[in-house]
Structures are given as C-alpha cells and as structure tokens.
Amino acid sequence: MEILLLGTGSADGWPNPFCRCDSCLSAAGSVRGQTAALVDDVLLLDCGPEAPRAAMRFGRSLAGVRHILFTHGHPDHVGPAALLMRHWTGAGEPLDVVGPASALDQCRHWVGPDDPVRFVEVSPGDDVRLGDYRLRVLAAAHGADIGGDAVLYDLESVGGRIFWATDTGPLPEETHAAVAGAGYDAVFLEETFGNYTEHGAEHHDLPAFAATLERLRACGAVTAATDVVAVHLSHHNPPEPELTAVLSDSDARPGSDGEVVRVGAAGTAPTHTLVLGGARSGKSAHAEALLAAEPAVTYLATGGVREGDPEWAERIRLHRTRRPESWRTVETTDVAEALRTAETPLLLDCLGTWLTARMDLHRVWDGGALDGVHADIDELVSAWRACPVRAVAVSNEVGSGVVPATASGRLFRDLLGVLNTQIAAESDDVVLMVAGRPLRLPVP
C-alpha cells in the first residue's frame, strides 16, 4: 500500500498565511496544506479544497480514483467541487463517496444526474468493502457542530493496514476496544495544538498525542514496527526540529506534504528513486523525507570535508542536524561497493560531488583521459541497478542554466547529464524539485 500525503496541516495549514508568529516564520520553507492522502492512486482519504491541486503538484492524476472517504463535514476536509471537476471530464467509471451524513450532504448536489457515483453513508461500527479494501469505521471525538458525526478509518488491503485518525481528540473507549491487536503498519494521528493545552477543542496537543499513542501501544494497535505519523499540524506546534525531537520520544514523527509512505507488501519491494534539482531547490530535504519512515538508513555522503571552507562546513552541519539519530552516515566516494552490499535503505547525496571526486581522481582537470571516469560511471550505474534495498539518490540538474564559461565547467555539466540520464533509466521514480516543489517525471 502506498500513501501519498497530499497535506499534513490543519485547517489553516502551517504556516498560517495571515500569521507571523515564530512558528509560522520558521515553517515558511516547508508549507503544509490541509490534511489529506492518496492511497495507491485509487482512494482519497479526505478531499478538502486544496487536495486536488496538491495531487497535481506532486505529479499525480486523480483520474484513477474510485473511492473518496470523508471523515467529517468541516470545510478543510470536504471540497465538493472535486466532484464537479470530475463530472466535467465525462468520467464514466464508478466512484464511491463515503462518509458520515455531515459530509455527504454537502456533496450530493455537486454530482450530475447520470454520474456513476454511489454515496455510502457510514457510522462507527460499519464494515464496508470498497474494491480491494476493507474499511472499518471507528468513532472519533470531534465537534458538536457540522462534522459532529466525525469518524475515523481502519483501512486494510493485501498491501497493508493503516489507521487514519484525523480529526479527533483523545480516542473514545469504543475505538480503543475496536483497534486492540490491530498491529497497524502505519498510523496517521492528528496533532493540532502542540504545546497549547488550553484549547478546549476536541483535537490532540502534544501531551494528549503521547497519551493516546501510549494507549494504542498498550492494546497492540501500535507495535514496534508501526510507522506513527503526526498530521493536521498547526502553528501551535514548536518549530519543526523541536517538534521532531518531542515526537521521537513517542517513536513518532511529523508528516510532510508530498511524502510517500509505503507499507505492507508495497513497502517490501526495493525501489530506486532519483531526486534532481538546482541549488537550494529542496532536493536533499525531499530525499530525506522519502526515507523518513525507515527505522534505519545509511546516508552516503560524497561531499567530504573541505579544509578552510567555512561555508561548506556550515552546509554539512545543517545536513547532519536534519538527519534522525538512527541514520548511519558514511563519508565515501566508493559508492558502487556500498550500493551492492547495502543491508538497510540507503540515501546517496549526491551524484554531483561523487562525479567531481572521480574527475579529481583521474586528473581530468589537468588533461587526463576520460576513460577512467566513464568506467566509474558504468560501475556506479550497474551497482545502482543491482542495489538490493530501497535507495534514493540526489543529483544536481545543471543542464537548464547558462552555458558554463569554462571548458572544465562544460565538461562537468555534460558528464553529469550523462550520469543523471543513466541513473534515471534504472530508477522506478524520478522527481524534479523546483522551488521546493516535487514534480514526478514520467518513467517509461
């Protein structure tokens, strides 16, 4: 099962566009939209007004969606215009629209009379079959106004089992009883209010989140193997490094928009992803997010240390502080051997600095022959193809700017273009980062 997080923020997102608090200012480089997710490209978990466009920004079409699940009727979770967008395409495939009455009542008049749409009203205790998925409907603790009939979802397929738990305060006793022993692959649990505990709303703050998670572990719903992801995050939370540290005390982590979580059968197959981007495009941060769910990662750092270069040292320091403590960093340019023998998921950052090191080794800048560099590229591509674990590689996209003024610059650009092309051809996913936004490129 593959879960693409279309949004991980609260109703006002994080940062709030009208706010200049310290939390919002710190989050300006990592915008979170309203919480929603796309499962296996066929099922939407909540579909607020921002969700359809978020899918497009992350390189996904919604044309294959056959099931839309709403948790409740609040406007950040129900964007009925999506149904009208679908109607305008003349889609003839069946669509299930599932949710409590507060959500479905807002959607019915957005559907054409001949649209093949089936409305499925649900309440806690229901057990529904949707294509390849089994859906168990659970009680939430959320709101007495519109959306007061909020529900949570236990979603299972041959590819895994997840718990979608937004929006809710501390879970009702009946929900704890219903999830006992579930052993979820992943839990997406709302955590709206951070350190603000006097909100009086039926949402989680950080202490309540920790308490709920403790109970879920005690009843066997969450195990040591469960990926626990905090969603519905708002500016009441501390800046992300502090939030990450607090959540890690509960073996949880904050979700990120555009992050792909793979669980169950879909998560066991090795996949290879190439992340391209220009300077400061967010390519390294996105690559790290792709592996955030892994309990252990080997980080292949090819840049090394440059004596007497404080700016480079600061870049390295920032990268290191961003990585989880469970990650192991290996500084090496012998990347091929590391790829072939990897036993844990692996992040290679980056191909550009690796290529520079190989060109240095073969004295290309001094007129040395290129045969050695081409042989190294061939060996690296072969090792990438044979890598037995989940692997993500980062590289610079250098072919879109001005033509380098020097012959050595043009040579590096051309060789990196060749390397990127060959690695892309051996990858399952290729992502281009532009201004912090991931664009998934078609893979033949």
Side-chain angles (χ1 to χ4, degrees):
M1 189 186 294
E2 179 196 79
I3 303 97
L4 168 64
L5 294 177
L6 301 177
T8 54
S10 59
D12 52 347
W14 185 23
N16 179 312
F18 295 92
C19 182
R20 294 185 61 80
C21 71
D22 290 343
S23 178
C24 284
L25 291 174
S26 73
S30 179
V31 175
R32 286 176 163 87
Q34 296 163 348
T35 292
L38 177 63
V39 179
D40 298 330
D41 287 332
V42 300
L43 186 149
L44 276 170
L45 286 166
D46 283 317
C47 182
E50 297 180 352
R53 209 59 62 191
M56 301 305 296
R57 283 196 296 271
F58 299 136
R60 300 296 182 95
S61 167
L62 298 183
V65 168
R66 299 294 175 262
H67 322 285
I68 299 177
L69 280 57
F70 294 112
T71 54
H72 62 296
H74 284 167
D76 54 317
H77 293 262
V78 180
L83 298 172
L84 183 60
M85 296 177 194
R86 186 176 188 273
H87 168 79
W88 283 335
T89 68
E93 298 79 12
L95 175 69
D96 297 316
V97 179
V98 182
S102 66
L104 300 193
D105 288 347
Q106 299 179 58
C107 297
R108 298 184 194 276
H109 66 283
W110 292 85
V111 174
D114 298 322
D115 286 351
V117 174
R118 177 177 70 128
F119 288 97
V120 182
E121 186 174 320
V122 295
S123 58
D126 288 347
D127 194 327
V128 181
R129 192 77 195 182
L130 299 171
D132 295 330
Y133 302 91
R134 180 182 180 183
L135 180 69
R136 300 172 181 89
V137 184
L138 306 172
H142 187 58
D145 58 347
I146 182 172
D149 54 356
V151 295
L152 311 176
Y153 292 124
D154 174 341
L155 186 68
E156 184 177 14
S157 76
V158 293
R161 187 176 181 184
I162 67 171
F163 184 22
W164 184 254
T166 182
D167 295 358
T168 184
L171 302 178
E173 291 300 324
E174 63 186 282
T175 298
H176 280 291
V179 302
Y184 292 111
D185 294 297
V187 169
F188 301 90
L189 180 61
E190 81 111 79
E191 193 285 291
T192 306
F193 280 102
N195 294 322
Y196 177 49
T197 59
E198 304 301 319
H199 48 85
E202 290 181 302
H203 285 283
H204 282 95
D205 46 53
L206 280 167
F209 181 93
T212 292
L213 191 50
E214 183 177 356
R215 290 201 62 185
L216 291 173
R217 292 187 190 281
C219 75
V222 170
T223 70
T226 304
D227 185 16
V228 180
V229 184
V231 294
H232 210 265
L233 302 166
S234 81
H235 66 157
H236 291 291
N237 280 283
E240 187 156 347
E242 181 182 342
L243 174 63
T244 299
V246 173
L247 290 174
S248 69
D249 291 339
S250 298
D251 289 326
R253 61 183 182 82
S256 299
D257 290 23
E259 175 187 349
V260 175
V261 178
R262 292 180 174 88
V263 302
T268 61
T271 56
H272 299 79
T273 301
L274 173 62
V275 181
L276 298 165
R280 299 298 189 184
S281 62
K283 57 187 181 294
S284 292
H286 181 74
E288 291 163 11
L290 292 177
L291 294 173
E294 301 291 347
V297 171
T298 299
Y299 188 104
L300 294 182
T302 61
V305 177
R306 301 177 184 176
E307 297 296 335
D309 190 339
E311 189 271 340
W312 182 258
E314 177 63 12
R315 285 175 179 253
I316 297 298
R317 186 191 69 80
L318 291 174
H319 274 249
R320 286 174 175 165
T321 57
R322 203 167 57 205
R323 299 172 209 155
E325 292 184 0
S326 61
W327 288 24
R328 181 174 71 97
T329 299
V330 177
E331 294 186 353
T332 182
T333 58
D334 189 9
V335 170
E337 178 64 17
L339 287 169
R340 284 191 295 262
T341 60
E343 296 180 352
T344 62
L346 182 147
L347 174 58
L348 165 57
D349 195 354
C350 73
L351 294 177
T353 50
W354 174 85
L355 179 61
T356 299
R358 306 318 288 180
M359 295 175 75
D360 287 343
L361 177 68
H362 295 289
R363 304 184 65 85
V364 170
W365 316 113
D366 300 324
L370 291 176
D371 293 350
V373 177
H374 284 297
D376 288 346
I377 289 175
D378 290 343
E379 182 185 18
L380 178 64
V381 172
S382 176
W384 176 256
R385 182 190 308 118
C387 183
V389 299
R390 173 90 169 103
V392 179
V394 177
S395 190
N396 308 98
E397 173 49 59
V398 296
S400 302
V402 297
V403 176
T406 64
S408 59
R410 292 190 292 274
L411 176 61
F412 173 78
R413 176 202 61 183
D414 293 347
L415 285 174
L416 186 57
V418 169
L419 175 58
N420 287 345
T421 299
Q422 293 188 23
I423 292 292
E426 301 295 339
S427 298
D428 306 290
D429 293 297
V430 179
V431 176
L432 175 65
M433 297 298 298
V434 180
R437 297 293 187 184
L439 302 174
R440 172 173 283 186
L441 303 182
V443 177

